[in-house]
Amino acid sequence: QLQLVESGGGLVQPGGSLRLSCGASGFTLDYYAIGWFRQAPGKEREAVSCISRSGVSIDYADSMKGRFTISRDNAKNTVYLQMNSLKPEDSAIYSCAVRLYACSRRISEYDYWGQGTQVTVSS
């Protein structure tokens, strides 16, 4: 059974940090690029970042550059999203997805998705 499960979300104050995890089971992440996406209420889902099979990362949004960092640990079959200096506008459901073989900002091109984890930034 192929699964992606996000964890690490929660409530955090503005300026705080969270580290999201995306764990895979039933398949090996080594063969995939992994992307993080987010969707706030009433807004379209947007691409956050992606990391290639070779570990090269791509930041898709200027509003998140310098604050969010994607990484992967193939030994743990897990990808991470480190989020620093969080702002209220970062509040959203964050989802991970995998794609053969390269990164893309198009959500329709990803093969498997997790159900997402809620991130709420509020004082």
Side-chain angles (χ1 to χ4, degrees):
Q1 185 176 10
L2 282 63
Q3 294 185 21
L4 288 172
V5 180
E6 301 93 338
S7 63
L11 176 64
V12 64
Q13 295 184 3
S17 299
L18 284 174
R19 191 186 194 192
L20 306 183
S21 298
C22 175
S25 62
F27 68 103
T28 301
L29 285 178
D30 299 38
Y31 304 108
Y32 295 87
I34 303 102
W36 281 99
F37 301 82
R38 71 182 187 183
Q39 186 170 27
K43 296 184 178 180
E44 294 183 351
R45 182 177 295 175
E46 65 174 334
V48 175
S49 62
C50 184
I51 188 164
S52 71
R53 293 177 293 167
S54 62
V56 178
S57 62
I58 302 173
D59 298 321
Y60 288 118
D62 290 338
S63 63
M64 290 172 275
K65 289 181 179 179
R67 299 190 297 120
F68 292 6
T69 303
I70 191 171
S71 62
R72 65 189 298 165
D73 187 339
N74 288 345
K76 296 182 178 180
N77 218 23
T78 302
V79 65
Y80 305 96
L81 183 67
Q82 179 67 46
M83 305 186 297
N84 299 323
S85 301
L86 284 164
K87 305 173 182 179
E89 52 263 42
D90 294 320
S91 297
I93 296 176
Y94 285 74
S95 302
C96 65
V98 300
R99 181 179 187 267
L100 291 170
Y101 296 89
C103 287
S104 174
R105 68 169 69 241
R106 293 175 174 263
I107 62 172
S108 62
E109 295 185 357
Y110 283 79
D111 300 300
Y112 304 107
W113 288 80
Q115 293 187 346
T117 184
Q118 178 70 54
V119 172
T120 303
V121 185
S122 177
S123 60

